[in-house]
Amino acid sequence: MTIFCIIPAYNESKNIAQTVTSVLSYVDKVIIVDDCSQDKTIEEVGKINNEKIKILRHPINLGQGAALQTGNNYALRNGADIIVHFDADGQFLAEEISQVIEPIKNGEADIVFGSRFLNIKSDIPAFKKNIIMPLAKLFNFIFFGIKTSDPQSGFRAMTKEVAEKIKIENNRMAHCTEILAKAHKYKFRIKEVPITVLYKEFGQKFSGGFRIIKDLFFRKISG
Amino acid sequence: MTQQVIAILILIFFVFKLGLEWKKKSITINEFVFWLIFWVIGVFVIAFIKPIDRLVMDLGFSSSGINLVFYVAVLLLFYLIFRMRLRMVKMEKDITELSRKIALK
């Protein structure tokens, strides 16, 4: 099974080299989708000499969701069997890729979401853990019928069939809910596995949550 | 009467600004004509607000003409925002597709 890892990156010159190097031994191909970074992200990746790495570059900044879809398109055209989405900021642990793709390899699931809230291993900021995430979970359940433990998981793996069916239309951060919602809608076999998140910064803020809701709302009414 | 004069002066200012935009070539002839007609209608509505009041009463509305103008204006604005939103969504989609094509080339 050919495993592609998609890493969307925007102004990640500080972390990108370490992140890319860490995932190399767990996958067959690493696709870095640079979302028109203004810093030296591309140069940092260019320093790593490895034929597994492919850099794609958006000519303008579109958002993380758009970068993931660009990566998915590339992976599907180039023979991916399993596609892993991984953040560039170094918050995820590369060694956990094996655990995330395991249920797909075993034929137990079509799409696997890494969850920060199953057997909590991460030091999640209290406000995020107790206020933002429960509200996001409630939102996902009321509007999309989604019951997963982590409403905004960015670490996920899917089969090529799932990637062919789920087209990410939300360019910005609402893609997390969109992927979850579409996976439910198309009745794919979903599984969650516990992951560790190393919080360097707070991550998604409360205001970001409102932006996600706004994006989802307008995407919904515009069809 | 004073209110009408002030309102008409404001609309004349808008027409003047429109002329400047036209002179700078930042709007097309179609846009210029559309907005010019729009503001000229506005001037006529304000200038002839009393006959419009009578017309509104004859049509069976209990409010005055100026209120009806506001209702229509708000409805029109909502519709224009809706149209603009649709156009923006389509543009964003097109830009995304184009950028993706360039990235994957």
Side-chain angles (χ1 to χ4, degrees):
Chain A
M1 278 186 153
T2 313
I3 302 158
F4 277 53
C5 180
I6 317 286
I7 305 180
Y10 178 64
N11 291 344
E12 287 290 354
S13 60
K14 279 185 195 163
N15 306 305
I16 192 74
Q18 199 188 344
T19 304
V20 172
T21 311
S22 70
V23 301
L24 278 170
S25 50
Y26 299 96
V27 297
D28 300 300
K29 193 101 187 165
V30 181
I31 317 301
I32 292 98
V33 187
D34 176 63
D35 201 17
C36 199
S37 296
Q38 305 300 307
D39 64 0
K40 294 186 183 305
T41 300
I42 293 271
E43 288 87 336
E44 287 298 319
V45 179
K47 286 178 191 168
I48 312 163
N49 196 14
N50 193 303
E51 58 183 25
K52 281 186 182 178
I53 299 171
K54 170 75 183 171
I55 302 170
L56 303 174
R57 184 151 209 227
H58 283 166
I60 55 167
N61 180 251
L62 293 173
Q64 198 185 40
L68 286 170
Q69 185 56 46
T70 301
N72 278 5
N73 286 6
Y74 179 87
L76 290 171
R77 282 184 201 175
N78 291 276
D81 294 309
I82 296 175
I83 297 171
V84 178
H85 290 169
F86 200 83
D87 281 359
D89 55 10
Q91 289 197 337
F92 298 143
L93 297 180
E95 55 265 36
E96 291 183 341
I97 289 177
S98 317
Q99 293 156 40
V100 173
I101 60 175
E102 192 70 16
I104 295 178
K105 279 184 162 177
N106 294 341
E108 296 165 19
D110 302 308
I111 182 162
V112 180
F113 295 94
S115 170
R116 292 163 280 184
F117 302 100
L118 289 175
N119 313 332
I120 296 175
K121 304 186 205 171
S122 315
D123 189 16
I124 306 166
F127 185 65
K128 192 165 201 160
K129 185 176 154 190
N130 301 313
I131 307 286
I132 297 182
M133 287 304 161
L135 283 176
K137 263 174 87 170
L138 189 68
F139 177 86
N140 279 0
F141 180 67
I142 291 172
F143 291 96
F144 301 100
I146 301 167
K147 291 179 192 166
T148 46
S149 65
D150 192 338
Q152 286 288 304
S153 176
F155 189 0
R156 60 184 84 83
M158 62 188 81
T159 61
K160 65 175 178 189
E161 288 78 16
V162 173
E164 273 161 6
K165 190 80 182 163
I166 295 178
K167 298 288 173 212
I168 304 166
E169 291 174 291
N170 281 285
N171 280 0
R172 289 176 285 271
M173 296 311 290
H175 69 272
C176 289
T177 303
E178 184 191 0
I179 294 170
L180 271 166
K182 286 184 174 171
H184 274 80
K185 184 181 160 192
Y186 298 131
K187 299 194 182 343
F188 286 120
R189 291 171 301 159
I190 298 166
K191 189 156 185 181
E192 282 189 288
V193 297
I195 55 157
T196 314
V197 177
L198 309 169
Y199 281 94
K200 294 179 179 178
E201 287 168 16
F202 187 79
Q204 191 72 37
K205 293 186 182 70
F206 203 63
S207 56
F210 281 112
R211 197 170 175 188
I212 289 172
I213 293 170
K214 186 202 81 185
D215 284 349
L216 288 168
F217 174 75
F218 280 116
R219 179 60 62 182
K220 192 98 181 157
I221 61 168
S222 62
Chain B
M1 184 67 185
T2 318
Q3 288 164 320
Q4 279 173 292
V5 171
I6 292 168
I8 289 172
L9 283 175
I10 291 170
L11 292 196
I12 288 171
F13 171 72
F14 287 158
V15 172
F16 172 71
K17 291 287 283 180
L18 184 69
L20 286 181
E21 294 299 323
W22 165 243
K23 215 173 165 188
K24 280 195 284 181
K25 303 267 180 230
S26 55
I27 52 171
T28 64
I29 181 75
N30 289 345
E31 280 174 304
F32 175 73
V33 171
F34 172 81
W35 288 112
L36 187 65
I37 292 170
F38 184 83
W39 294 127
V40 168
I41 289 171
V43 169
F44 272 95
V45 168
I46 292 164
F48 298 102
I49 196 74
K50 291 272 183 265
I52 291 171
D53 269 349
R54 278 196 297 276
L55 180 73
V56 166
M57 295 284 267
D58 290 345
L59 288 171
F61 289 97
S62 57
S63 58
S64 64
I66 195 74
N67 283 350
L68 187 71
V69 169
F70 274 118
Y71 297 152
V72 173
V74 170
L75 284 177
L76 191 72
L77 283 174
F78 268 112
Y79 177 70
L80 286 175
I81 289 171
F82 170 69
R83 287 286 305 273
M84 210 180 275
R85 176 82 211 166
L86 286 183
R87 189 176 283 193
M88 273 176 61
V89 168
K90 191 183 176 308
M91 272 171 62
E92 195 182 322
K93 214 171 166 180
D94 290 346
I95 290 169
T96 302
E97 282 309 312
L98 185 64
S99 303
R100 191 163 285 145
K101 258 188 187 164
I102 294 168
L104 290 167
K105 205 163 60 181

